[in-house]
């Protein structure tokens, strides 16, 4: 069966070979589907984290007041708002949810909760928690898993780069160096893969329209 | 010996819908229409037939103010699809 993708399907009966070809084509189309905004969550969280890191360190360097750490609570709020607004679908746009979507969602839910609990503990108590080490390690694990599950190499590489970078936060004590390292980590695991993903999905969308 | 093909699945549009749903958790009506190129009316009738046979579940809700229909394959649907593919193999051999 050599029907083009957009040829309307009807109610006619098929022969065995046509049926198998149709099954194969429908499964492949859905499997190769790439959301038009697939790279946006990476970019939203990546750029927001860089912005909050710069804001926190600038404020801390200027005032030497640790209470600026409360600023970090704005990050999940802005991230949630950004995700809600940016990924809102038009009612006329079709949507599909795969098992991989659910797995990725659950991975980030668990890691997000863990990161939030660690941040709360670090800011609201006097416990000395190596927060940057733990956050970069957790987020690195999340990106590596995402990349492996989705077979998206830039995210896998970025994740493992962060896992490798994380112990440096236990060694480096300088605030500016920590901030720079934190920005490098989020650039490697979120900003670069996010731009690559956006480029790929735009290219696929263009090919689809040709 | 040829196995009997399930007449409910042996139709182009219904088979396409089942083939999409077998690989995903859920897909909405708009997505199914985009992928199959079927008219809304025809797709709606075929989805209803699949739902009545217990092969798919249909949830009606809203996205914003617009109605949204989400379809999922059921266990009965998975079994029927697997049997259908097995039967097809007997024709190909």
């Amino acid at each position: 069966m050599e029907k083009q993708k957009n040829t309307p399907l009807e109610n006619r009966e098929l022969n065995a070979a046509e049926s198998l070809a149709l099954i194969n084509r429908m499964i492949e189309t859905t499997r190769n589907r790439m959301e038009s905004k697939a790279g946006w969550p990476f970019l939203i969280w990546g750029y927001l984290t860089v912005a909050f890191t710069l804001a926190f360190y600038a404020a801390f360097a200027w005032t030497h007041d640790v209470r600026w750490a409360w600023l970090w609570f704005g990050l999940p709020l802005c991230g949630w708002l950004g995700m809600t607004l940016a990924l809102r679908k038009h009612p006329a746009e079709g949507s599909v949810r795969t098992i991989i979507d659910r797995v990725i969602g659950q991975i980030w839910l668990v890691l997000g909760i863990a990161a939030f609990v660690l941040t709360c503990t670090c800011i609201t108590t006097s416990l000395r928690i190596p927060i940057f080490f733990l956050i970069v390690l957790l987020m690195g694990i999340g990106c590596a898993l995402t990349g492996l599950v989705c077979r998206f190499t830039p995210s896998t590489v970025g994740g493992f780069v962060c896992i490798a970078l994380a112990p440096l936060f236990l060694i480096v004590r300088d605030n500016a160096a920590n901030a720079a390292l934190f920005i490098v980590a989020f650039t490697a695991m979120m900003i670069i893969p996010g731009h690559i993903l956006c480029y790929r999905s735009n290219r696929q969308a263009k090919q689809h329209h040709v | 010996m040829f196995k009997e093909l399930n007449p409910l699945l042996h139709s182009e549009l219904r088979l396409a819908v089942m083939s999409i749903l077998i690989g995903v958790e859920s897909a909405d009506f708009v997505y199914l229409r985009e992928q199959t190129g079927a008219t809304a009316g025809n797709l709606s009738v075929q989805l209803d037939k699949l739902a009545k046979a217990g092969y798919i579940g249909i949830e009606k809700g809203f996205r914003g103010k617009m109605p949204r229909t989400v379809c999922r394959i059921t266990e009965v649907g998975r079994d029927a699809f697997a049997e259908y593919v097995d039967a097809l193999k007997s024709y190909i051999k």
Side-chain angles (χ1 to χ4, degrees):
Chain A
M1 194 169 79
E2 290 300 325
K3 276 199 166 194
Q4 291 302 305
K5 187 184 168 215
N6 292 327
T7 306
L9 300 180
E10 295 143 11
N11 303 327
R12 70 185 182 95
E13 283 201 3
L14 307 165
N15 64 38
E18 285 176 331
S19 291
L20 281 175
L22 176 67
I23 291 167
N24 189 43
R25 182 159 59 91
M26 286 296 144
I27 290 174
E28 279 301 307
T29 306
T30 303
R31 195 165 65 182
N32 296 332
R33 167 198 70 99
M34 192 182 273
E35 288 276 352
S36 57
K37 296 174 181 173
W40 286 34
F42 282 100
L43 294 179
I44 289 168
W45 288 106
Y47 279 117
L48 274 175
T49 306
V50 168
F52 271 82
T53 307
L54 289 172
F56 169 69
Y57 274 97
F60 181 71
W62 191 32
T63 62
H64 295 285
D65 188 342
V66 288
R67 283 176 300 180
W68 281 108
W70 287 87
L71 201 63
W72 287 111
F73 286 115
L75 179 59
L77 199 68
C78 289
W80 172 78
L81 198 66
M83 294 279 284
T84 306
L85 293 175
L87 302 182
R88 193 170 44 183
K89 284 207 169 204
H90 190 273
E93 203 179 343
S95 71
V96 61
R97 185 173 164 82
T98 64
I99 290 142
I100 286 179
D101 294 333
R102 183 161 62 87
V103 170
I104 300 292
Q106 307 288 24
I107 287 173
W108 283 106
L109 178 71
V110 171
L111 293 177
I113 290 170
F116 185 72
V117 169
L118 281 171
T119 308
C120 287
T121 311
C122 182
I123 292 174
T124 58
T125 68
S126 56
L127 293 170
R128 292 182 67 83
I129 297 170
I131 188 71
F132 291 117
F133 162 71
L134 291 171
I135 295 291
V136 169
L137 187 65
L138 277 181
M139 298 299 110
I141 290 169
C143 281
L145 285 174
T146 302
L148 289 169
V149 171
C150 298
R151 293 177 186 157
F152 180 52
T153 311
S155 179
T156 312
V157 171
F160 280 114
V161 165
C162 286
I163 292 169
L165 278 179
L168 287 178
F169 288 95
L170 298 173
I171 302 162
V172 177
R173 292 288 165 201
D174 179 62
N175 284 338
N178 265 331
L181 210 54
F182 202 63
I183 289 170
V184 167
F186 273 82
T187 304
M189 74 175 147
M190 291 197 173
I191 295 177
I192 294 172
H195 280 293
I196 294 171
L197 204 49
C198 280
Y199 170 75
R200 285 188 189 174
S201 61
N202 288 342
R203 194 178 53 182
Q204 195 187 66
K206 276 181 194 163
Q207 282 170 351
H208 193 74
H209 282 100
V210 169
Chain B
M1 170 150 177
F2 294 140
K3 291 180 184 173
E4 197 183 338
L5 290 170
N6 182 340
L8 199 62
L9 295 182
H10 200 52
S11 145
E12 195 177 28
L13 184 50
R14 290 194 293 269
L15 183 61
V17 168
M18 290 294 282
S19 302
I20 292 169
L21 294 179
I22 197 86
V24 301
E25 283 220 326
S26 64
D28 71 6
F29 185 85
V30 180
Y31 181 84
L32 293 173
R33 207 178 62 197
E34 282 169 2
Q35 296 305 312
T36 58
T39 62
N42 190 13
L43 181 59
S44 186
V45 169
Q46 304 313 320
L47 288 179
D48 201 39
K49 284 184 184 175
L50 290 170
K52 276 186 181 152
Y55 290 0
I56 63 168
I58 297 178
E59 282 171 35
K60 293 193 186 276
F62 285 88
R63 181 193 282 163
K65 289 177 183 172
M66 297 286 285
R68 181 171 180 243
T69 303
V70 177
C71 304
R72 290 170 212 278
I73 198 162
T74 62
E75 278 306 309
V76 177
R78 277 185 200 284
D79 292 344
F81 189 82
E83 277 173 26
Y84 179 80
V85 172
D86 271 349
L88 275 181
K89 284 179 188 165
S90 70
Y91 284 79
I92 300 291
K93 277 175 191 169

